[in-house]
Amino acid sequence: MSATAKLDPVVEAFVDALNAQDADQFYGVLTEDATMSDDGVERNLAQWTEAEIFSSNGHLDVESVDSDGLALTADYTNSRWGSMRTTWRFVLRDGLISRFETGQA
């Protein structure tokens, strides 16, 4: 069984959209007022995702899943920083992601 099989379906859609570089699908699983942080620092979600995911070919290889599918550890790779071990935590509201927090593991 792959690690993504244990993810919450909305989180799995987030990972799939990120890996497919599909911005429409990615933003489609987020609430309109979604927020995020990177290494404990609040970030502008649109600016961060453009720089760290879409313009730098971000890719998540999920290693493990925790917190009922709402947290994961993954190898994250992009053309800006290379590869690093990261953690991701998600908060859901009304079936969408209202917040995610990522950082180095």
Side-chain angles (χ1 to χ4, degrees):
M1 177 188 299
S2 72
T4 56
K6 302 177 200 169
L7 289 172
D8 179 275
V10 176
V11 174
E12 185 172 6
F14 174 99
V15 172
D16 290 346
L18 187 156
N19 287 342
Q21 296 290 295
D22 186 333
D24 290 338
Q25 182 184 346
F26 181 88
Y27 288 112
V29 299
L30 301 177
T31 62
E32 287 187 21
D33 61 347
T35 60
M36 59 92 45
S37 68
D38 181 8
D39 284 329
V41 178
E42 291 298 311
R43 303 288 186 183
N44 176 292
L45 190 142
Q47 290 174 351
W48 187 91
T49 54
E50 179 56 32
E52 301 295 336
I53 297 173
F54 298 115
S55 68
S56 61
N57 299 307
H59 188 85
L60 272 172
D61 286 315
V62 177
E63 294 177 1
S64 63
V65 178
D66 297 308
S67 301
D68 295 324
L70 296 177
L72 60 91
T73 300
D75 182 41
Y76 187 73
T77 305
N78 68 21
S79 60
R80 186 174 184 189
W81 303 108
S83 183
M84 66 188 82
R85 194 158 187 263
T86 58
T87 60
W88 298 71
R89 299 196 183 287
F90 299 88
V91 176
L92 302 185
R93 185 178 74 231
D94 300 327
L96 296 172
I97 296 167
S98 61
R99 178 170 178 79
F100 67 91
E101 298 172 350
T102 186
Q104 291 194 51

